[in-house]
Every structure is written in C-alpha cells, then in structure tokens.
Amino acid sequence: SAVISQKPSRDICQRGTSLTIQCQVDSQVTMMFWYRQQPGQSLTLIATANQGSEATYESGFVIDKFPISRPNLTFSTLTVSNMSPEDSSIYLCSVGGLGRIYNEQFFGPGTRLTVL
Amino acid sequence: DQQVKQNSPSLSVQEGRISILNCDYTNSMFDYFLWYKKYPAEGPTFLISISSIKDKNEDGRFTVFLNKSAKHLSLHIVPSQPGDSAVYFCAASSNSNSGYALNFGKGTSLLVTP
C-alpha cells in the first residue's frame, strides 16, 4: 500500500468561491483518482488524474467545475470551483496499480467540505 | 444509475457471531470486486477482494463469496468483534471501463455489540 495524505482535512466555504484540495502520496503511483461522497450516498468517481495530460472525467463532471492537475506521479490537486451548497461532500483521492492486483485502490483520509 | 447495490443500510450483530453483508450488481462486465471498511473521519480501507474467476476468497476472519449467476456477493465476518463496527462498502470494477475505476454501493453500517 501507500501513505496518502490530503489537505485540507476539512473546510467551510462560502458559495461562489473555489477550494483546491491536495493529494500527496509517499511513492510514485500509476493511477490516481478523485471521488466524491455526498451525504448518505456512495462514493462516486469524479475523474482519473492523468500525469502530464488532461484528466478523464466521468459523466456528469466537467473540467470547468472540477479542474484537476497531476504534475508528477506523487501529487494531484482537485479544485471545486464556484461552489454551491450542493458541493458539500467528502472528497477523496485514491491510488491504484500498486500491488499485485491492479484493481485494488487505496484511499486518502478525505476532505470534508461544507459550502454555506 | 446505481450499478452496485447494498440494500441493507445497517446491520447489528452480537460479538462472536457471524456478520453477513450483502451486495448486488447489475453490470455483467464487472470482473473484480472489493470490500472496503470505513471509520468516521477516515478514508475507506481496503479489506478483501475477489476476481470473477473465483467464487470464494478467505483472509483470516473475512471471507467473500461471489455468485456470478445471481450477480451477488457477500462478506462474512466470523467471529465478529466490536472493532469491526464500521461502514462497509462493496465496490466493483471492470478492466474495460475508466481504467479500473471503482463503482461503489452506498454502504452498510455494521454495529457489533458486546
């Protein structure tokens, strides 16, 4: 596995503002993903963060709202732009392709975002 | 559309007894299944997984069973311990979608009572 940290761990923001969430891994990883968990819901994939190229977004998520950077194999950021109360969620990064099973993913501790 | 379903939002079991958590899926392309455990204020922790070529995988107190024809899997915890109290998420992936991205159920909150 890997040690994954996220910053900030939580934040309370005003609507219309933006927040950038950082994900740092202690080793180089092939795959990094960003998920969202809205209250009472399952984890939903936002996008796959691709190193050196644009992220691959899932249906319902767009780059203008959730710009993602991945400058190297250990770091990625997710920005939640022009926030509204509906963006209040836990945002999680995960990494994959580490162990003998390529599908297994390991998650960071999450960032709890509240938008007022 | 929820492709992975955990129909029981909560489960309460006495310490020492068996806990059985269930999961159903609709996408026949899923070929790898995982269970994660999540404590409050922490990210999900990988617990156990199973490939679609198997019907059982065991790791200590945890066993996952897969019934492909029924598109159903279950996680058995024997014996259950109070420290097992957490939310358990079932997840599924397919090598043909989103580069191994995971599809999650909504989770089952397990409470193990002394």
Side-chain angles (χ1 to χ4, degrees), chain B residues 35-48:
Chain B
W35 284 94
Y36 285 84
K37 175 179 178 180
K38 186 179 185 300
Y39 292 118
E42 295 183 11
T45 302
F46 171 73
L47 196 57
I48 192 170

Side-chain angles (χ1 to χ4, degrees), chain B residues 38 55 82 89 110:
Chain B
K38 186 179 185 300
D55 54 19
F89 289 96
L110 173 66

Side-chain angles (χ1 to χ4, degrees), chain A residues 31 33 35 37 40-43 45 48 58 90 92 101-109, chain B residues 2 32 34 36 38 41-44 46 49 89 93 95 98-102 104-106:
Chain A
M31 297 184 289
F33 304 91
Y35 289 81
Q37 185 185 14
Q41 301 298 314
S42 60
L43 282 76
L45 179 66
T48 302
E58 296 299 302
I90 299 173
L92 300 121
I101 303 296
Y102 216 64
N103 308 65
E104 291 174 2
Q105 290 182 27
F106 301 91
F107 285 81
Chain B
Q2 194 79 20
Y32 201 77
L34 308 90
Y36 285 84
K38 186 179 185 300
E42 295 183 11
F46 171 73
S49 62
F89 289 96
S93 74
N95 287 353
S98 300
Y100 310 99
L102 298 177
F104 281 87
K106 290 188 177 183

Side-chain angles (χ1 to χ4, degrees), chain B residues 13-66:
Chain B
V13 171
Q14 212 166 17
E15 181 178 8
R17 308 291 289 266
I18 183 172
S19 296
I20 300 177
L21 296 95
N22 293 302
C23 178
D24 297 291
Y25 61 96
T26 59
N27 189 340
S28 57
M29 296 298 292
F30 288 147
D31 55 14
Y32 201 77
F33 305 90
L34 308 90
W35 284 94
Y36 285 84
K37 175 179 178 180
K38 186 179 185 300
Y39 292 118
E42 295 183 11
T45 302
F46 171 73
L47 196 57
I48 192 170
S49 62
I50 188 167
S51 164
S52 61
I53 63 173
K54 296 185 176 181
D55 54 19
K56 177 182 175 182
N57 187 27
E58 190 172 353
D59 184 1
R61 297 186 296 114
F62 303 92
T63 302
V64 56
F65 295 92
L66 175 62

Side-chain angles (χ1 to χ4, degrees), chain A residues 33-104:
Chain A
F33 304 91
W34 285 98
Y35 289 81
R36 177 175 77 178
Q37 185 185 14
Q38 294 178 301
Q41 301 298 314
S42 60
L43 282 76
T44 302
L45 179 66
I46 297 172
T48 302
N50 301 309
Q51 194 264 329
S53 65
E54 194 171 285
T56 305
Y57 289 85
E58 296 299 302
S59 175
F61 297 96
V62 295
I63 187 171
D64 290 345
K65 176 67 175 177
F66 297 102
I68 288 171
S69 78
R70 189 172 174 198
N72 55 52
L73 293 177
T74 64
F75 185 78
S76 177
T77 66
L78 168 75
T79 299
V80 186
S81 303
N82 188 24
M83 288 184 284
S84 67
E86 292 70 35
D87 294 320
S88 297
S89 294
I90 299 173
Y91 292 85
L92 300 121
C93 71
S94 75
V95 301
L98 286 174
R100 60 183 179 85
I101 303 296
Y102 216 64
N103 308 65
E104 291 174 2

